Amino acid sequence: MNELMITECPNINLDTLFNLLVDVKSLRELDLSENELSEIPNSIRNLTQITELWLDENQLTEIPQGVKSLSNLDYLRLFSNNIESLNLKSGDLINLTNIDLCYNSFESFPMELEYLKKLRRVTMWYSEISIIPEEITKLKGLEYLNLTRNNLTEEQKEKLKLQLPNTELKL
């Protein structure tokens, strides 16, 4: 088993599920979308084999603590939650290269992403962003940034092109 999709199961006991999945060493992708989840148990940190995690269309307000410990996670999808802050720090998600934060509620571009040293792709369309901090220049390794359908002015878009000259921008 390489991939497991468990969607539209709001009453699932995630602790039990994670304990069962620990021994499935071939599992790489886990989709827990559309489960009305407002939190994820810390026991998810035991699923060290996971490289892709989909948490779309839940009720999360930040990246759950246990998820931040997934050292092999390469792709994290948090499409359409209630996230306003990522609550990241140095040492979180050490191998994450790709994050999808579309359809969340950010006023400002989340500079906490700078803690994700291997991050290469950020997709955040329809996320209500109207502020781009000057520090965005710290994201030098970023190869792709999609901020389509946010609340950015033409002036902000032009400035972003200058701030991230080596990044493919979708504005």
Side-chain angles (χ1 to χ4, degrees):
M1 173 174 38
N2 221 0
E3 179 181 329
L4 178 61
M5 294 177 62
I6 299 174
T7 59
E8 299 181 38
C9 300
N11 297 320
I12 190 164
N13 183 320
L14 290 176
D15 268 325
T16 301
L17 174 67
F18 298 155
N19 287 332
L20 291 170
L21 293 177
V22 162
D23 294 325
V24 184
K25 299 300 179 199
S26 62
L27 181 64
R28 296 291 176 260
E29 300 173 24
L30 179 59
D31 185 345
L32 297 174
S33 299
E34 300 178 54
N35 287 310
E36 300 175 23
L37 302 172
S38 58
E39 57 186 49
I40 304 285
N42 279 337
S43 58
I44 196 169
R45 69 174 30 136
N46 298 324
L47 301 181
T48 57
Q49 73 276 30
I50 298 292
T51 59
E52 283 192 28
L53 180 59
W54 294 44
L55 296 169
D56 297 351
E57 298 184 56
N58 282 298
Q59 298 169 6
L60 300 169
T61 57
E62 65 182 23
I63 299 176
Q65 194 59 45
V67 171
K68 295 179 203 177
S69 302
L70 293 172
S71 59
N72 287 316
L73 200 63
D74 176 64
Y75 178 56
L76 177 58
R77 194 171 149 117
L78 292 159
F79 187 99
S80 194
N81 275 277
N82 299 315
I83 298 173
E84 296 176 7
S85 169
L86 301 177
N87 198 23
L88 290 168
K89 63 183 184 332
S90 183
D92 289 341
L93 296 164
I94 59 172
N95 283 306
L96 197 74
T97 64
N98 190 347
I99 192 166
D100 184 331
L101 295 163
C102 298
Y103 287 96
N104 280 287
S105 300
F106 294 92
E107 180 180 327
S108 178
F109 182 85
M111 282 311 303
E112 300 160 274
L113 291 172
E114 74 179 292
Y115 294 121
L116 307 178
K117 299 302 182 194
K118 293 191 177 181
L119 191 63
R120 299 292 171 257
R121 297 181 62 86
V122 176
T123 308
M124 294 185 72
W125 31 276
Y126 286 100
S127 293
E128 302 179 25
I129 295 171
S130 62
I131 299 168
I132 303 291
E134 291 293 326
E135 298 84 16
I136 199 160
T137 57
K138 293 180 180 179
L139 299 175
K140 294 185 187 329
L142 210 55
E143 297 170 0
Y144 176 87
L145 175 60
N146 188 333
L147 294 175
T148 306
R149 303 285 184 184
N150 279 283
N151 301 323
L152 300 176
T153 65
E154 288 306 312
E155 184 180 318
Q156 287 172 305
K157 292 176 184 179
E158 290 305 313
K159 186 174 181 180
L160 246 175
K161 291 174 187 175
L162 297 172
Q163 290 171 311
L164 297 173
N166 300 317
T167 303
E168 180 185 347
L169 296 173
K170 301 286 185 195
L171 304 170

